[in-house]
Amino acid sequence: MAQPAAMKEQQNIWVDGEERVVPDLSHHLSDLAKNRKPSPLKQLAKYMMKPGVLSLAGGMPHPEYFPFDTLSAKVLAHDSYDTKYTESNPTSSSHADGPLDWFWSLIGLGGSSKKRTEDITVPKYRPQLTDNQLAIALQYGTSQGIIPLQKFVSEFTHKVFKPYLPTTSTTITTGNTDAWSRIVEAFCNKGDGLLVEEWSYPTALFASRPHGVAPVPVAMDLEGMRSDALETVLKTWDEGARGMRRPHIMYLVPIGQNPSGATMDTQRKKEIYDLAVKYDIIIVEDDPYYFLQEGPYKPQSYRQRRANPEEPETWLSTLSPSFLKFDWQGRVIRLDSFSKTIAPGSRMGWVSANPLFADAVLRVGETSTQAPCGFGQSMIAELLVNHWGFDKYVRWLQGLQKQYTDRRDLLIDAIASEFDLAEASSAPDFFGGARVLYEKEKDTWFSFIPPTSGMFVWVRIHLLNHPSYRAKLSPEEPTTLEGKLFVALVEKNLIIVPGWLFTTKLEDEVPLDETDFPGDAIVNGLMRPRANIDDPTGDPADHDGAQYAHFRVSFSSASESDMKEGMKIFATVLRDFFRA
């Protein structure tokens, strides 16, 4: 739970047998956050929960007048989804009649898969004020969320992510988009730069840009943001050339990176954290796909039957650790969400951070969203606190991991059924050292890395092998071919997301030549940071719209039949496109 704290006094902590000073990080707060004071009315709420208190203070409606006397639902059993693989039925949800039947089944609203359901009910009143009850959940409440849910996410965070600092606090949010918007307001000033992966989640960028915060892209590889490229950006930073101070905040999606599907391992996280300490950077770890760590893709003939469900601690130990585990200075802000593990419509998640930062995020919520929706809070709290508990929720997460693994496999199987795929280790570029699948035409048309986490396959289209590229028919319009391919797919009733939506290049704000902005290079009219150009292991062509296009293909919600049909359309359109 978030607790106000100043963190201005020097603190010492033992790290690897060495006593170190925990720095004061309050200088990272934005001017707005420094001027923000706790809402005085919200501060009274903590006294109202004290047993025996007679309150005539709040302008709160009487709970008897709430028309909801109970709130009930049928929920799936925690072990509804098998963790084993069976060749005759690779996924229990993939044979659904409709593309979203698996999802409706998940929340108990139908679907073709028959699952065992159980009843949960939230009454209007329970004996203790700290119990989950509608009289509290539907009332005006604090921005931290209702107490039962606060306690659950706090205990869950410390058990699962094992933060280095025992003082790590949590506060409930209305999802990661809300959390990120609060963070931008609490930590960024106009004119700041934001360190991001060179392909990044567009909503995060669009949330920060209106505040005058510009993305500063860092080169990627198969694990996401590269630590060597990050240091190049930071150590060569020239405020005069860049027109801004060196960035002090970083946004990344380390597991199942959106859009690339990259998964960052422990060593890379430690390297990036050490650089954050060296250059005084705050790391915002947006991790909605954390429990969808699917492992390497294997062709169907090489897949082995999975073992029985593992004990919670055993299974959790197989997952890539959070940045929190190494965060001895309190410079990590972690974002978690129930969107991928319960339902996106719940609009609920939480922030984990040092008490000062958690409090700054909380204060923004007090005057914006105020508190997450009481209906969603009460139902999720009833499910997780009173019905499942920690162990059963972890078992549920194991089932989801298996389901999305099967879905990933189904999509790649569908691609393989339409193309003659070959496997190779890539040249040292964006895919550096990765296991890449590509189709074995005389000239490669596309390639991709089978993702090990998340919901997406990031496909790279090799436009330099297109006849128009070779004929130099449209060099003045480098995105023409990518646009034509996207339109051709849409006209055949297939929508996959074009890569230009994920670019971190400021196309509408770049200078026309390098003399206007000497700290950057210009590639086909796009501003490309020197850090990405000068690094010999980087691939400047990856953002060159004349040479490569990219598309994000999702395997999260389509049925097996739709995946197969979609890849048939993709194959037909791609063949026509390259043979035009």
Short mmCIF file of all heavy atoms in Angstrom, two decimals, residues 437-495:
data_model
loop_
_atom_site.label_atom_id
_atom_site.label_comp_id
_atom_site.label_asym_id
_atom_site.label_seq_id
_atom_site.Cartn_x
_atom_site.Cartn_y
_atom_site.Cartn_z
N LEU A 437 13.09 -17.19 -38.39
CA LEU A 437 12.42 -17.99 -39.41
C LEU A 437 12.16 -17.11 -40.62
O LEU A 437 11.74 -15.96 -40.47
CB LEU A 437 11.11 -18.56 -38.87
CG LEU A 437 11.21 -19.53 -37.69
CD1 LEU A 437 9.84 -20.05 -37.32
CD2 LEU A 437 12.14 -20.69 -38.00
N TYR A 438 12.42 -17.64 -41.82
CA TYR A 438 12.18 -16.88 -43.04
C TYR A 438 11.72 -17.85 -44.12
O TYR A 438 11.94 -19.06 -44.03
CB TYR A 438 13.46 -16.16 -43.49
CG TYR A 438 14.58 -17.08 -43.89
CD1 TYR A 438 14.81 -17.40 -45.23
CD2 TYR A 438 15.43 -17.64 -42.93
CE1 TYR A 438 15.83 -18.26 -45.60
CE2 TYR A 438 16.46 -18.50 -43.29
CZ TYR A 438 16.66 -18.80 -44.63
OH TYR A 438 17.67 -19.65 -45.00
N GLU A 439 11.05 -17.31 -45.15
CA GLU A 439 10.57 -18.20 -46.21
C GLU A 439 11.66 -18.34 -47.28
O GLU A 439 12.39 -17.41 -47.57
CB GLU A 439 9.25 -17.70 -46.79
CG GLU A 439 9.19 -16.22 -47.07
CD GLU A 439 10.02 -15.80 -48.26
OE1 GLU A 439 9.96 -16.51 -49.28
OE2 GLU A 439 10.72 -14.79 -48.17
N LYS A 440 11.75 -19.55 -47.82
CA LYS A 440 12.88 -19.90 -48.69
C LYS A 440 12.60 -19.62 -50.18
O LYS A 440 12.79 -20.48 -51.02
CB LYS A 440 13.24 -21.37 -48.48
CG LYS A 440 13.74 -21.69 -47.09
CD LYS A 440 14.34 -23.10 -47.01
CE LYS A 440 13.31 -24.17 -47.22
NZ LYS A 440 13.85 -25.53 -47.01
N GLU A 441 12.15 -18.44 -50.48
CA GLU A 441 12.08 -18.04 -51.88
C GLU A 441 13.51 -17.71 -52.34
O GLU A 441 14.45 -17.61 -51.53
CB GLU A 441 11.18 -16.82 -52.04
CG GLU A 441 9.70 -17.11 -51.91
CD GLU A 441 9.14 -17.85 -53.11
OE1 GLU A 441 9.67 -17.66 -54.23
OE2 GLU A 441 8.17 -18.62 -52.94
N LYS A 442 13.67 -17.52 -53.62
CA LYS A 442 14.98 -17.14 -54.14
C LYS A 442 15.46 -15.87 -53.44
O LYS A 442 16.63 -15.75 -53.06
CB LYS A 442 14.91 -16.93 -55.66
CG LYS A 442 16.23 -16.51 -56.27
CD LYS A 442 16.09 -16.32 -57.78
CE LYS A 442 17.41 -15.86 -58.39
NZ LYS A 442 17.28 -15.63 -59.86
N ASP A 443 14.56 -14.93 -53.30
CA ASP A 443 14.83 -13.70 -52.54
C ASP A 443 13.88 -13.67 -51.35
O ASP A 443 12.66 -13.78 -51.53
CB ASP A 443 14.62 -12.46 -53.41
CG ASP A 443 15.59 -12.40 -54.57
OD1 ASP A 443 16.79 -12.61 -54.33
OD2 ASP A 443 15.14 -12.13 -55.70
N THR A 444 14.40 -13.51 -50.18
CA THR A 444 13.58 -13.55 -48.96
C THR A 444 12.54 -12.43 -48.98
O THR A 444 12.87 -11.27 -49.22
CB THR A 444 14.47 -13.41 -47.71
OG1 THR A 444 15.38 -14.50 -47.68
CG2 THR A 444 13.64 -13.41 -46.45
N TRP A 445 11.31 -12.80 -48.72
CA TRP A 445 10.22 -11.83 -48.66
C TRP A 445 9.97 -11.33 -47.24
O TRP A 445 9.63 -10.17 -47.04
CB TRP A 445 8.92 -12.45 -49.19
CG TRP A 445 8.96 -12.75 -50.65
CD1 TRP A 445 9.86 -12.28 -51.59
CD2 TRP A 445 8.05 -13.60 -51.37
NE1 TRP A 445 9.57 -12.78 -52.83
CE2 TRP A 445 8.46 -13.60 -52.73
CE3 TRP A 445 6.94 -14.34 -51.00
CZ2 TRP A 445 7.79 -14.31 -53.71
CZ3 TRP A 445 6.28 -15.06 -51.98
CH2 TRP A 445 6.69 -15.04 -53.31
N PHE A 446 10.09 -12.24 -46.27
CA PHE A 446 9.83 -11.81 -44.89
C PHE A 446 10.61 -12.70 -43.94
O PHE A 446 11.07 -13.79 -44.29
CB PHE A 446 8.33 -11.88 -44.57
CG PHE A 446 7.78 -13.27 -44.42
CD1 PHE A 446 7.74 -13.90 -43.17
CD2 PHE A 446 7.31 -13.98 -45.52
CE1 PHE A 446 7.24 -15.19 -43.04
CE2 PHE A 446 6.81 -15.26 -45.40
CZ PHE A 446 6.77 -15.88 -44.15
N SER A 447 10.75 -12.23 -42.71
CA SER A 447 11.38 -13.00 -41.65
C SER A 447 10.78 -12.56 -40.32
O SER A 447 10.17 -11.50 -40.22
CB SER A 447 12.90 -12.78 -41.65
OG SER A 447 13.22 -11.41 -41.47
N PHE A 448 10.94 -13.39 -39.30
CA PHE A 448 10.44 -13.04 -37.98
C PHE A 448 11.15 -13.90 -36.93
O PHE A 448 11.65 -14.99 -37.24
CB PHE A 448 8.93 -13.22 -37.86
CG PHE A 448 8.45 -14.64 -37.99
CD1 PHE A 448 8.24 -15.44 -36.86
CD2 PHE A 448 8.20 -15.19 -39.24
CE1 PHE A 448 7.81 -16.75 -36.99
CE2 PHE A 448 7.76 -16.51 -39.37
CZ PHE A 448 7.56 -17.29 -38.24
N ILE A 449 11.18 -13.40 -35.72
CA ILE A 449 11.68 -14.16 -34.58
C ILE A 449 10.47 -14.74 -33.86
O ILE A 449 9.58 -14.00 -33.45
CB ILE A 449 12.45 -13.28 -33.59
CG1 ILE A 449 13.64 -12.61 -34.27
CG2 ILE A 449 12.94 -14.10 -32.41
CD1 ILE A 449 14.37 -11.64 -33.37
N PRO A 450 10.39 -16.05 -33.69
CA PRO A 450 9.29 -16.61 -32.90
C PRO A 450 9.33 -16.02 -31.48
O PRO A 450 10.34 -16.17 -30.78
CB PRO A 450 9.58 -18.11 -32.88
CG PRO A 450 10.40 -18.35 -34.11
CD PRO A 450 11.24 -17.12 -34.26
N PRO A 451 8.29 -15.33 -31.06
CA PRO A 451 8.33 -14.69 -29.75
C PRO A 451 8.34 -15.71 -28.62
O PRO A 451 7.77 -16.79 -28.74
CB PRO A 451 7.05 -13.85 -29.72
CG PRO A 451 6.12 -14.58 -30.64
CD PRO A 451 7.00 -15.14 -31.73
N THR A 452 8.99 -15.37 -27.53
CA THR A 452 9.01 -16.24 -26.35
C THR A 452 8.08 -15.75 -25.26
O THR A 452 7.97 -16.38 -24.21
CB THR A 452 10.43 -16.36 -25.79
OG1 THR A 452 10.93 -15.05 -25.49
CG2 THR A 452 11.35 -17.03 -26.80
N SER A 453 7.40 -14.62 -25.49
CA SER A 453 6.45 -14.08 -24.51
C SER A 453 5.44 -13.21 -25.24
O SER A 453 5.65 -12.81 -26.39
CB SER A 453 7.17 -13.23 -23.45
OG SER A 453 8.13 -13.97 -22.75
N GLY A 454 4.35 -12.90 -24.55
CA GLY A 454 3.42 -11.91 -25.04
C GLY A 454 2.34 -12.45 -25.96
O GLY A 454 1.96 -13.62 -25.89
N MET A 455 1.88 -11.57 -26.88
CA MET A 455 0.73 -11.88 -27.72
C MET A 455 0.97 -11.64 -29.21
O MET A 455 0.03 -11.72 -29.99
CB MET A 455 -0.46 -11.01 -27.29
CG MET A 455 -1.00 -11.30 -25.89
SD MET A 455 -2.41 -10.22 -25.50
CE MET A 455 -3.06 -11.06 -24.05
N PHE A 456 2.23 -11.31 -29.59
CA PHE A 456 2.43 -10.83 -30.95
C PHE A 456 3.62 -11.48 -31.65
O PHE A 456 4.62 -11.84 -31.02
CB PHE A 456 2.67 -9.31 -30.95
CG PHE A 456 1.68 -8.55 -30.11
CD1 PHE A 456 2.07 -7.93 -28.93
CD2 PHE A 456 0.35 -8.46 -30.49
CE1 PHE A 456 1.17 -7.24 -28.15
CE2 PHE A 456 -0.57 -7.77 -29.71
CZ PHE A 456 -0.16 -7.16 -28.54
N VAL A 457 3.49 -11.60 -32.99
CA VAL A 457 4.60 -11.94 -33.85
C VAL A 457 4.93 -10.69 -34.68
O VAL A 457 4.05 -10.11 -35.30
CB VAL A 457 4.26 -13.12 -34.78
CG1 VAL A 457 5.38 -13.35 -35.80
CG2 VAL A 457 4.01 -14.40 -33.98
N TRP A 458 6.19 -10.29 -34.65
CA TRP A 458 6.65 -9.07 -35.34
C TRP A 458 7.31 -9.50 -36.65
O TRP A 458 8.40 -10.09 -36.64
CB TRP A 458 7.63 -8.35 -34.43
CG TRP A 458 8.18 -7.02 -34.84
CD1 TRP A 458 9.51 -6.71 -34.96
CD2 TRP A 458 7.47 -5.81 -35.13
NE1 TRP A 458 9.67 -5.39 -35.29
CE2 TRP A 458 8.43 -4.81 -35.40
CE3 TRP A 458 6.11 -5.48 -35.18
CZ2 TRP A 458 8.08 -3.50 -35.72
CZ3 TRP A 458 5.77 -4.17 -35.50
CH2 TRP A 458 6.73 -3.20 -35.76
N VAL A 459 6.64 -9.24 -37.75
CA VAL A 459 7.09 -9.71 -39.06
C VAL A 459 7.81 -8.58 -39.79
O VAL A 459 7.32 -7.46 -39.86
CB VAL A 459 5.89 -10.20 -39.90
CG1 VAL A 459 6.35 -10.64 -41.28
CG2 VAL A 459 5.18 -11.35 -39.19
N ARG A 460 8.96 -8.93 -40.33
CA ARG A 460 9.76 -7.96 -41.07
C ARG A 460 9.65 -8.29 -42.56
O ARG A 460 10.00 -9.39 -43.00
CB ARG A 460 11.22 -8.06 -40.62
CG ARG A 460 12.12 -6.94 -41.10
CD ARG A 460 13.56 -7.27 -40.69
NE ARG A 460 14.38 -6.08 -40.62
CZ ARG A 460 15.71 -6.10 -40.63
NH1 ARG A 460 16.34 -7.27 -40.69
NH2 ARG A 460 16.40 -4.99 -40.55
N ILE A 461 9.15 -7.33 -43.36
CA ILE A 461 8.99 -7.52 -44.80
C ILE A 461 10.22 -6.94 -45.50
O ILE A 461 10.57 -5.78 -45.30
CB ILE A 461 7.71 -6.82 -45.31
CG1 ILE A 461 6.49 -7.24 -44.48
CG2 ILE A 461 7.51 -7.10 -46.80
CD1 ILE A 461 6.12 -8.69 -44.60
N HIS A 462 10.86 -7.75 -46.35
CA HIS A 462 12.10 -7.35 -47.02
C HIS A 462 11.77 -6.63 -48.33
O HIS A 462 11.84 -7.21 -49.42
CB HIS A 462 12.97 -8.57 -47.26
CG HIS A 462 13.42 -9.24 -46.00
ND1 HIS A 462 14.75 -9.47 -45.70
CD2 HIS A 462 12.72 -9.72 -44.93
CE1 HIS A 462 14.85 -10.06 -44.52
NE2 HIS A 462 13.62 -10.23 -44.04
N LEU A 463 11.47 -5.36 -48.24
CA LEU A 463 11.07 -4.59 -49.42
C LEU A 463 12.20 -4.44 -50.42
O LEU A 463 11.96 -4.21 -51.61
CB LEU A 463 10.59 -3.20 -48.99
CG LEU A 463 9.34 -3.15 -48.11
CD1 LEU A 463 9.00 -1.70 -47.78
CD2 LEU A 463 8.16 -3.83 -48.78
N LEU A 464 13.44 -4.56 -49.97
CA LEU A 464 14.57 -4.42 -50.90
C LEU A 464 14.60 -5.53 -51.94
O LEU A 464 15.34 -5.45 -52.92
CB LEU A 464 15.89 -4.36 -50.14
CG LEU A 464 16.41 -5.59 -49.42
CD1 LEU A 464 17.84 -5.32 -48.91
CD2 LEU A 464 15.54 -6.00 -48.25
N ASN A 465 13.77 -6.57 -51.74
CA ASN A 465 13.66 -7.64 -52.74
C ASN A 465 12.43 -7.47 -53.63
O ASN A 465 12.11 -8.37 -54.41
CB ASN A 465 13.63 -9.00 -52.06
CG ASN A 465 14.97 -9.37 -51.44
OD1 ASN A 465 16.01 -9.01 -51.97
ND2 ASN A 465 14.94 -10.06 -50.32
N HIS A 466 11.75 -6.34 -53.49
CA HIS A 466 10.59 -6.07 -54.33
C HIS A 466 11.05 -5.47 -55.66
O HIS A 466 11.99 -4.67 -55.69
CB HIS A 466 9.65 -5.10 -53.61
CG HIS A 466 8.33 -4.93 -54.27
ND1 HIS A 466 8.14 -4.08 -55.34
CD2 HIS A 466 7.12 -5.50 -54.03
CE1 HIS A 466 6.87 -4.12 -55.72
NE2 HIS A 466 6.23 -4.98 -54.94
N PRO A 467 10.41 -5.83 -56.77
CA PRO A 467 10.83 -5.30 -58.08
C PRO A 467 10.88 -3.78 -58.15
O PRO A 467 11.78 -3.21 -58.77
CB PRO A 467 9.78 -5.86 -59.04
CG PRO A 467 9.28 -7.10 -58.37
CD PRO A 467 9.32 -6.81 -56.90
N SER A 468 9.93 -3.11 -57.49
CA SER A 468 9.91 -1.65 -57.54
C SER A 468 11.11 -1.06 -56.81
O SER A 468 11.62 -0.01 -57.19
CB SER A 468 8.62 -1.11 -56.92
OG SER A 468 7.52 -1.45 -57.72
N TYR A 469 11.55 -1.74 -55.75
CA TYR A 469 12.73 -1.24 -55.04
C TYR A 469 13.96 -1.34 -55.94
O TYR A 469 14.76 -0.42 -56.05
CB TYR A 469 12.96 -2.02 -53.76
CG TYR A 469 14.23 -1.62 -53.03
CD1 TYR A 469 14.22 -0.54 -52.14
CD2 TYR A 469 15.42 -2.29 -53.24
CE1 TYR A 469 15.39 -0.14 -51.50
CE2 TYR A 469 16.59 -1.91 -52.61
CZ TYR A 469 16.57 -0.84 -51.73
OH TYR A 469 17.72 -0.45 -51.09
N ARG A 470 14.09 -2.48 -56.60
CA ARG A 470 15.25 -2.69 -57.46
C ARG A 470 15.24 -1.73 -58.65
O ARG A 470 16.28 -1.28 -59.12
CB ARG A 470 15.28 -4.13 -57.95
CG ARG A 470 15.56 -5.12 -56.82
CD ARG A 470 15.49 -6.53 -57.30
NE ARG A 470 15.93 -7.46 -56.26
CZ ARG A 470 15.84 -8.77 -56.35
NH1 ARG A 470 15.33 -9.31 -57.43
NH2 ARG A 470 16.26 -9.53 -55.37
N ALA A 471 14.03 -1.44 -59.13
CA ALA A 471 13.92 -0.54 -60.26
C ALA A 471 14.01 0.92 -59.84
O ALA A 471 14.04 1.81 -60.70
CB ALA A 471 12.60 -0.79 -60.99
N LYS A 472 14.06 1.15 -58.52
CA LYS A 472 14.14 2.51 -57.99
C LYS A 472 12.98 3.36 -58.52
O LYS A 472 13.14 4.51 -58.91
CB LYS A 472 15.48 3.17 -58.36
CG LYS A 472 16.70 2.40 -57.87
CD LYS A 472 16.78 2.39 -56.36
CE LYS A 472 18.04 1.68 -55.88
NZ LYS A 472 18.13 1.58 -54.42
N LEU A 473 11.77 2.77 -58.50
CA LEU A 473 10.62 3.48 -59.04
C LEU A 473 10.11 4.57 -58.12
O LEU A 473 9.50 5.53 -58.57
CB LEU A 473 9.50 2.48 -59.33
CG LEU A 473 9.80 1.42 -60.40
CD1 LEU A 473 8.60 0.52 -60.59
CD2 LEU A 473 10.19 2.08 -61.71
N SER A 474 10.31 4.41 -56.80
CA SER A 474 9.74 5.40 -55.90
C SER A 474 10.68 5.70 -54.72
O SER A 474 10.27 5.63 -53.58
CB SER A 474 8.39 4.90 -55.35
OG SER A 474 8.56 3.64 -54.73
N PRO A 475 11.92 6.05 -54.99
CA PRO A 475 12.84 6.33 -53.88
C PRO A 475 12.46 7.57 -53.09
O PRO A 475 12.82 7.71 -51.93
CB PRO A 475 14.19 6.51 -54.60
CG PRO A 475 13.83 6.97 -55.97
CD PRO A 475 12.56 6.23 -56.30
N GLU A 476 11.70 8.48 -53.73
CA GLU A 476 11.33 9.69 -53.01
C GLU A 476 10.20 9.44 -52.02
O GLU A 476 9.87 10.30 -51.20
CB GLU A 476 10.93 10.78 -54.01
CG GLU A 476 9.56 10.59 -54.66
CD GLU A 476 9.57 9.51 -55.75
OE1 GLU A 476 10.67 8.99 -56.04
OE2 GLU A 476 8.49 9.20 -56.29
N GLU A 477 9.54 8.28 -52.08
CA GLU A 477 8.47 7.94 -51.16
C GLU A 477 8.77 6.59 -50.53
O GLU A 477 8.25 5.56 -50.95
CB GLU A 477 7.13 7.88 -51.88
CG GLU A 477 6.71 9.21 -52.48
CD GLU A 477 5.35 9.10 -53.13
OE1 GLU A 477 4.37 8.86 -52.39
OE2 GLU A 477 5.27 9.23 -54.36
N PRO A 478 9.62 6.59 -49.50
CA PRO A 478 10.11 5.31 -48.97
C PRO A 478 9.05 4.44 -48.31
O PRO A 478 9.26 3.26 -48.15
CB PRO A 478 11.17 5.74 -47.94
CG PRO A 478 10.80 7.15 -47.58
CD PRO A 478 10.23 7.74 -48.83
N THR A 479 7.91 4.99 -47.95
CA THR A 479 6.88 4.18 -47.31
C THR A 479 5.81 3.71 -48.28
O THR A 479 4.83 3.10 -47.88
CB THR A 479 6.21 4.95 -46.16
OG1 THR A 479 5.59 6.13 -46.69
CG2 THR A 479 7.22 5.34 -45.10
N THR A 480 5.98 4.01 -49.58
CA THR A 480 4.94 3.67 -50.55
C THR A 480 4.66 2.18 -50.58
O THR A 480 3.51 1.74 -50.53
CB THR A 480 5.35 4.15 -51.96
OG1 THR A 480 5.47 5.56 -51.95
CG2 THR A 480 4.32 3.73 -52.98
N LEU A 481 5.69 1.35 -50.64
CA LEU A 481 5.49 -0.09 -50.74
C LEU A 481 4.83 -0.64 -49.48
O LEU A 481 3.96 -1.51 -49.56
CB LEU A 481 6.82 -0.79 -51.00
CG LEU A 481 7.45 -0.56 -52.38
CD1 LEU A 481 8.80 -1.24 -52.47
CD2 LEU A 481 6.51 -1.09 -53.47
N GLU A 482 5.25 -0.17 -48.32
CA GLU A 482 4.63 -0.63 -47.07
C GLU A 482 3.15 -0.28 -47.06
O GLU A 482 2.30 -1.09 -46.69
CB GLU A 482 5.33 -0.01 -45.86
CG GLU A 482 4.80 -0.53 -44.53
CD GLU A 482 5.62 -0.03 -43.35
OE1 GLU A 482 6.45 0.88 -43.53
OE2 GLU A 482 5.42 -0.55 -42.24
N GLY A 483 2.83 0.93 -47.49
CA GLY A 483 1.44 1.34 -47.53
C GLY A 483 0.63 0.52 -48.52
O GLY A 483 -0.51 0.14 -48.25
N LYS A 484 1.22 0.23 -49.67
CA LYS A 484 0.51 -0.57 -50.67
C LYS A 484 0.22 -1.97 -50.15
O LYS A 484 -0.86 -2.53 -50.39
CB LYS A 484 1.34 -0.65 -51.95
CG LYS A 484 1.34 0.63 -52.78
CD LYS A 484 2.16 0.46 -54.06
CE LYS A 484 2.10 1.72 -54.91
NZ LYS A 484 2.91 1.58 -56.15
N LEU A 485 1.18 -2.56 -49.44
CA LEU A 485 0.98 -3.90 -48.90
C LEU A 485 -0.12 -3.89 -47.85
O LEU A 485 -0.97 -4.79 -47.81
CB LEU A 485 2.28 -4.43 -48.31
CG LEU A 485 2.21 -5.82 -47.67
CD1 LEU A 485 1.67 -6.86 -48.65
CD2 LEU A 485 3.59 -6.24 -47.15
N PHE A 486 -0.15 -2.88 -47.00
CA PHE A 486 -1.18 -2.78 -45.97
C PHE A 486 -2.56 -2.68 -46.62
O PHE A 486 -3.51 -3.38 -46.21
CB PHE A 486 -0.92 -1.58 -45.07
CG PHE A 486 -2.02 -1.31 -44.07
CD1 PHE A 486 -2.23 -2.18 -43.01
CD2 PHE A 486 -2.84 -0.20 -44.20
CE1 PHE A 486 -3.24 -1.94 -42.08
CE2 PHE A 486 -3.86 0.04 -43.29
CZ PHE A 486 -4.05 -0.83 -42.23
N VAL A 487 -2.69 -1.83 -47.62
CA VAL A 487 -3.98 -1.66 -48.30
C VAL A 487 -4.40 -2.96 -48.99
O VAL A 487 -5.57 -3.36 -48.94
CB VAL A 487 -3.89 -0.51 -49.33
CG1 VAL A 487 -5.15 -0.47 -50.21
CG2 VAL A 487 -3.72 0.82 -48.62
N ALA A 488 -3.46 -3.65 -49.60
CA ALA A 488 -3.78 -4.92 -50.28
C ALA A 488 -4.30 -5.95 -49.29
O ALA A 488 -5.24 -6.70 -49.60
CB ALA A 488 -2.54 -5.45 -50.99
N LEU A 489 -3.73 -6.01 -48.10
CA LEU A 489 -4.20 -6.94 -47.07
C LEU A 489 -5.61 -6.56 -46.59
O LEU A 489 -6.48 -7.43 -46.45
CB LEU A 489 -3.24 -6.94 -45.88
CG LEU A 489 -1.87 -7.57 -46.14
CD1 LEU A 489 -0.90 -7.23 -45.03
CD2 LEU A 489 -1.99 -9.09 -46.30
N VAL A 490 -5.84 -5.27 -46.37
CA VAL A 490 -7.16 -4.82 -45.91
C VAL A 490 -8.22 -5.13 -46.97
O VAL A 490 -9.34 -5.54 -46.65
CB VAL A 490 -7.13 -3.31 -45.59
CG1 VAL A 490 -8.54 -2.79 -45.32
CG2 VAL A 490 -6.24 -3.04 -44.38
N GLU A 491 -7.88 -4.94 -48.24
CA GLU A 491 -8.84 -5.20 -49.31
C GLU A 491 -9.22 -6.68 -49.39
O GLU A 491 -10.27 -7.04 -49.91
CB GLU A 491 -8.27 -4.73 -50.64
CG GLU A 491 -8.24 -3.20 -50.77
CD GLU A 491 -7.63 -2.72 -52.07
OE1 GLU A 491 -6.98 -3.56 -52.75
OE2 GLU A 491 -7.79 -1.54 -52.39
N LYS A 492 -8.36 -7.55 -48.85
CA LYS A 492 -8.67 -8.98 -48.77
C LYS A 492 -9.22 -9.36 -47.39
O LYS A 492 -9.28 -10.53 -47.03
CB LYS A 492 -7.41 -9.81 -49.06
CG LYS A 492 -6.89 -9.67 -50.49
CD LYS A 492 -7.88 -10.24 -51.51
CE LYS A 492 -7.30 -10.17 -52.91
NZ LYS A 492 -8.25 -10.73 -53.93
N ASN A 493 -9.64 -8.33 -46.64
CA ASN A 493 -10.29 -8.52 -45.33
C ASN A 493 -9.36 -9.07 -44.24
O ASN A 493 -9.80 -9.80 -43.35
CB ASN A 493 -11.52 -9.43 -45.46
CG ASN A 493 -12.61 -8.80 -46.30
OD1 ASN A 493 -12.82 -7.58 -46.26
ND2 ASN A 493 -13.29 -9.61 -47.09
N LEU A 494 -8.11 -8.71 -44.30
CA LEU A 494 -7.18 -9.06 -43.23
C LEU A 494 -6.54 -7.79 -42.69
O LEU A 494 -5.95 -7.01 -43.44
CB LEU A 494 -6.08 -10.01 -43.74
CG LEU A 494 -4.99 -10.36 -42.71
CD1 LEU A 494 -5.57 -11.12 -41.53
CD2 LEU A 494 -3.85 -11.15 -43.36
N ILE A 495 -6.67 -7.60 -41.38
CA ILE A 495 -6.03 -6.44 -40.74
C ILE A 495 -4.94 -6.93 -39.79
O ILE A 495 -5.21 -7.69 -38.85
CB ILE A 495 -7.05 -5.59 -39.96
CG1 ILE A 495 -8.09 -5.00 -40.91
CG2 ILE A 495 -6.34 -4.47 -39.21
CD1 ILE A 495 -9.14 -4.15 -40.22
#
